[in-house]
Amino acid sequence: MLPQPKQWLLNKNVIDKFQKTCPIPDHYVMVDTETTGVAKDDRVVEMALIEVKGGVVIDLWCRIFDPEGKLLHPAAAKVNHFNDETVAMFHPIGSHLDEIAKWDQKGVPWIAFNSRFDKRLLAQSLPLSAQIKSSWLCAMKLAKMILIKPTIEAKPGYRLSAVARTVGLNPDAFDLHSAVGDAMLTIGVVERLRHLWFAMHGPAALREEKFDGQFWQMRAQEENRQLSQKSYQVSTLTVRVDRWRLLACTLIVTQVLMIGAWAIG
């Protein structure tokens, strides 16, 4: 189940003021696509559009498309579990241009986890007369701006599953590598990122709010690790400086004793 955002007990004008400076909009369309591959001639075979306002899903649209003769790459088929026979049973994306246009005319930004990929594949699949005109935001870039680098998985990086776990979501509870499943998980990530942004940059009442999930624990661990590393570096430097001071003092004392012995002699 998609986690419900917290309802802030603050004056609406205060929220509106800080919402204007937040890089994550309150009203958007979440986009996700499944494709025949990643090449310049590949096509979209599934597309999900989910409208979100105030952290609540208010509309959802999803369709499977016939890629019109473009065969699925084996690597793509292994991920999205489509096959050429299945997608050939559906209408091509050109049969849904009016529906997609209605979503494009909602006047809100489109967000995708990797917007560069989804935007390019849609541009390859749609005719020139039906190209998407809405502005795009990239959830992965938002994560890079707000989070430390996720290290919760074996291979660190800003993959959707890693970012989701970093903000306290369980990717296994979603139907991953389906357009709707990935879109819903990305909505959960985006809403958590917006809460974290408010916690770091919003009014004091928001910054003092306690957030659940693993993010703060991981961030504290990372900060402690960095502080420990800096402390070790400072300690090592201090030891080196102290050794040089001790050596210098020893040389000075030795010279003084030699001069004294020479003077007495």
Side-chain angles (χ1 to χ4, degrees), residues 1-2 165 169-176 181 184-185:
M1 178 181 293
L2 184 69
R165 286 193 171 94
L169 297 173
N170 179 15
D172 298 330
F174 295 79
D175 185 16
L176 293 182
M184 292 296 286
L185 180 57

PDB file of all heavy atoms in Angstrom, residues 1-2 165 169-176 181 184-185:
ATOM      1  N   MET A   1       0.847  -1.192   0.000  1.00  0.00           N
ATOM      2  CA  MET A   1       0.000   0.000   0.000  1.00  0.00           C
ATOM      3  C   MET A   1       0.880   1.239   0.000  1.00  0.00           C
ATOM      4  O   MET A   1       1.880   1.305   0.712  1.00  0.00           O
ATOM      5  CB  MET A   1      -0.921  -0.004   1.227  1.00  0.00           C
ATOM      6  CG  MET A   1      -1.815   1.243   1.323  1.00  0.00           C
ATOM      7  SD  MET A   1      -2.870   1.214   2.803  1.00  0.00           S
ATOM      8  CE  MET A   1      -3.931  -0.165   2.384  1.00  0.00           C
ATOM      9  N   LEU A   2       0.497   2.228  -0.780  1.00  0.00           N
ATOM     10  CA  LEU A   2       1.255   3.472  -0.866  1.00  0.00           C
ATOM     11  C   LEU A   2       1.179   4.210   0.460  1.00  0.00           C
ATOM     12  O   LEU A   2       0.092   4.423   0.990  1.00  0.00           O
ATOM     13  CB  LEU A   2       0.695   4.354  -1.980  1.00  0.00           C
ATOM     14  CG  LEU A   2       1.451   5.643  -2.256  1.00  0.00           C
ATOM     15  CD1 LEU A   2       2.799   5.312  -2.867  1.00  0.00           C
ATOM     16  CD2 LEU A   2       0.661   6.529  -3.191  1.00  0.00           C
ATOM     17  N   ARG A 165      14.427   1.992  -0.699  1.00  0.00           N
ATOM     18  CA  ARG A 165      14.808   1.435   0.602  1.00  0.00           C
ATOM     19  C   ARG A 165      15.446   2.497   1.495  1.00  0.00           C
ATOM     20  O   ARG A 165      15.276   2.480   2.716  1.00  0.00           O
ATOM     21  CB  ARG A 165      15.764   0.260   0.406  1.00  0.00           C
ATOM     22  CG  ARG A 165      15.079  -1.000  -0.117  1.00  0.00           C
ATOM     23  CD  ARG A 165      15.983  -2.229   0.006  1.00  0.00           C
ATOM     24  NE  ARG A 165      15.251  -3.439  -0.299  1.00  0.00           N
ATOM     25  CZ  ARG A 165      15.197  -4.011  -1.491  1.00  0.00           C
ATOM     26  NH1 ARG A 165      15.848  -3.454  -2.508  1.00  0.00           N
ATOM     27  NH2 ARG A 165      14.501  -5.114  -1.681  1.00  0.00           N
ATOM     28  N   LEU A 169      10.984   2.618   2.173  1.00  0.00           N
ATOM     29  CA  LEU A 169       9.969   1.861   1.447  1.00  0.00           C
ATOM     30  C   LEU A 169      10.494   0.469   1.112  1.00  0.00           C
ATOM     31  O   LEU A 169      11.703   0.277   0.967  1.00  0.00           O
ATOM     32  CB  LEU A 169       9.576   2.588   0.157  1.00  0.00           C
ATOM     33  CG  LEU A 169       8.929   3.964   0.324  1.00  0.00           C
ATOM     34  CD1 LEU A 169       8.758   4.624  -1.032  1.00  0.00           C
ATOM     35  CD2 LEU A 169       7.581   3.853   1.023  1.00  0.00           C
ATOM     36  N   ASN A 170       9.587  -0.466   0.943  1.00  0.00           N
ATOM     37  CA  ASN A 170       9.950  -1.833   0.590  1.00  0.00           C
ATOM     38  C   ASN A 170       9.584  -2.092  -0.877  1.00  0.00           C
ATOM     39  O   ASN A 170       8.413  -2.289  -1.197  1.00  0.00           O
ATOM     40  CB  ASN A 170       9.224  -2.832   1.484  1.00  0.00           C
ATOM     41  CG  ASN A 170       9.556  -4.275   1.128  1.00  0.00           C
ATOM     42  OD1 ASN A 170      10.524  -4.549   0.411  1.00  0.00           O
ATOM     43  ND2 ASN A 170       8.752  -5.205   1.614  1.00  0.00           N
ATOM     44  N   PRO A 171      10.558  -2.098  -1.786  1.00  0.00           N
ATOM     45  CA  PRO A 171      10.254  -2.306  -3.211  1.00  0.00           C
ATOM     46  C   PRO A 171       9.574  -3.640  -3.495  1.00  0.00           C
ATOM     47  O   PRO A 171       8.822  -3.760  -4.468  1.00  0.00           O
ATOM     48  CB  PRO A 171      11.632  -2.235  -3.882  1.00  0.00           C
ATOM     49  CG  PRO A 171      12.507  -1.549  -2.906  1.00  0.00           C
ATOM     50  CD  PRO A 171      11.993  -1.904  -1.554  1.00  0.00           C
ATOM     51  N   ASP A 172       9.835  -4.630  -2.659  1.00  0.00           N
ATOM     52  CA  ASP A 172       9.263  -5.957  -2.889  1.00  0.00           C
ATOM     53  C   ASP A 172       7.748  -5.964  -2.726  1.00  0.00           C
ATOM     54  O   ASP A 172       7.083  -6.916  -3.147  1.00  0.00           O
ATOM     55  CB  ASP A 172       9.893  -6.974  -1.931  1.00  0.00           C
ATOM     56  CG  ASP A 172      11.399  -7.116  -2.151  1.00  0.00           C
ATOM     57  OD1 ASP A 172      11.841  -6.915  -3.304  1.00  0.00           O
ATOM     58  OD2 ASP A 172      12.121  -7.401  -1.181  1.00  0.00           O
ATOM     59  N   ALA A 173       7.198  -4.921  -2.101  1.00  0.00           N
ATOM     60  CA  ALA A 173       5.748  -4.839  -1.927  1.00  0.00           C
ATOM     61  C   ALA A 173       5.062  -4.290  -3.175  1.00  0.00           C
ATOM     62  O   ALA A 173       3.828  -4.217  -3.212  1.00  0.00           O
ATOM     63  CB  ALA A 173       5.421  -3.965  -0.722  1.00  0.00           C
ATOM     64  N   PHE A 174       5.849  -3.903  -4.181  1.00  0.00           N
ATOM     65  CA  PHE A 174       5.298  -3.334  -5.410  1.00  0.00           C
ATOM     66  C   PHE A 174       5.550  -4.298  -6.576  1.00  0.00           C
ATOM     67  O   PHE A 174       6.467  -5.107  -6.536  1.00  0.00           O
ATOM     68  CB  PHE A 174       5.948  -1.984  -5.713  1.00  0.00           C
ATOM     69  CG  PHE A 174       5.650  -0.919  -4.691  1.00  0.00           C
ATOM     70  CD1 PHE A 174       6.331  -0.891  -3.476  1.00  0.00           C
ATOM     71  CD2 PHE A 174       4.690   0.049  -4.933  1.00  0.00           C
ATOM     72  CE1 PHE A 174       6.072   0.081  -2.535  1.00  0.00           C
ATOM     73  CE2 PHE A 174       4.427   1.030  -3.997  1.00  0.00           C
ATOM     74  CZ  PHE A 174       5.110   1.042  -2.792  1.00  0.00           C
ATOM     75  N   ASP A 175       4.733  -4.172  -7.601  1.00  0.00           N
ATOM     76  CA  ASP A 175       4.886  -4.991  -8.802  1.00  0.00           C
ATOM     77  C   ASP A 175       5.957  -4.352  -9.686  1.00  0.00           C
ATOM     78  O   ASP A 175       5.651  -3.664 -10.669  1.00  0.00           O
ATOM     79  CB  ASP A 175       3.546  -5.095  -9.538  1.00  0.00           C
ATOM     80  CG  ASP A 175       3.618  -6.034 -10.735  1.00  0.00           C
ATOM     81  OD1 ASP A 175       4.590  -6.810 -10.807  1.00  0.00           O
ATOM     82  OD2 ASP A 175       2.715  -5.986 -11.585  1.00  0.00           O
ATOM     83  N   LEU A 176       7.211  -4.592  -9.328  1.00  0.00           N
ATOM     84  CA  LEU A 176       8.318  -3.936 -10.023  1.00  0.00           C
ATOM     85  C   LEU A 176       8.419  -4.384 -11.477  1.00  0.00           C
ATOM     86  O   LEU A 176       8.057  -5.502 -11.827  1.00  0.00           O
ATOM     87  CB  LEU A 176       9.633  -4.218  -9.307  1.00  0.00           C
ATOM     88  CG  LEU A 176       9.779  -3.610  -7.908  1.00  0.00           C
ATOM     89  CD1 LEU A 176      11.155  -3.932  -7.337  1.00  0.00           C
ATOM     90  CD2 LEU A 176       9.553  -2.107  -7.925  1.00  0.00           C
ATOM     91  N   GLY A 181       3.415  -0.520 -11.328  1.00  0.00           N
ATOM     92  CA  GLY A 181       4.174  -0.820 -10.120  1.00  0.00           C
ATOM     93  C   GLY A 181       5.337   0.128  -9.911  1.00  0.00           C
ATOM     94  O   GLY A 181       5.528   0.672  -8.810  1.00  0.00           O
ATOM     95  N   MET A 184       3.992   3.689  -9.068  1.00  0.00           N
ATOM     96  CA  MET A 184       3.507   3.814  -7.701  1.00  0.00           C
ATOM     97  C   MET A 184       4.669   3.865  -6.707  1.00  0.00           C
ATOM     98  O   MET A 184       4.644   4.651  -5.748  1.00  0.00           O
ATOM     99  CB  MET A 184       2.579   2.650  -7.374  1.00  0.00           C
ATOM    100  CG  MET A 184       1.262   2.652  -8.142  1.00  0.00           C
ATOM    101  SD  MET A 184       0.217   4.080  -7.761  1.00  0.00           S
ATOM    102  CE  MET A 184      -0.379   3.644  -6.133  1.00  0.00           C
ATOM    103  N   LEU A 185       5.690   3.062  -6.931  1.00  0.00           N
ATOM    104  CA  LEU A 185       6.858   3.104  -6.051  1.00  0.00           C
ATOM    105  C   LEU A 185       7.561   4.454  -6.149  1.00  0.00           C
ATOM    106  O   LEU A 185       7.991   5.024  -5.138  1.00  0.00           O
ATOM    107  CB  LEU A 185       7.826   1.977  -6.403  1.00  0.00           C
ATOM    108  CG  LEU A 185       9.107   1.890  -5.557  1.00  0.00           C
ATOM    109  CD1 LEU A 185       8.776   1.759  -4.077  1.00  0.00           C
ATOM    110  CD2 LEU A 185       9.984   0.736  -6.021  1.00  0.00           C
TER     111      LEU A 185
END
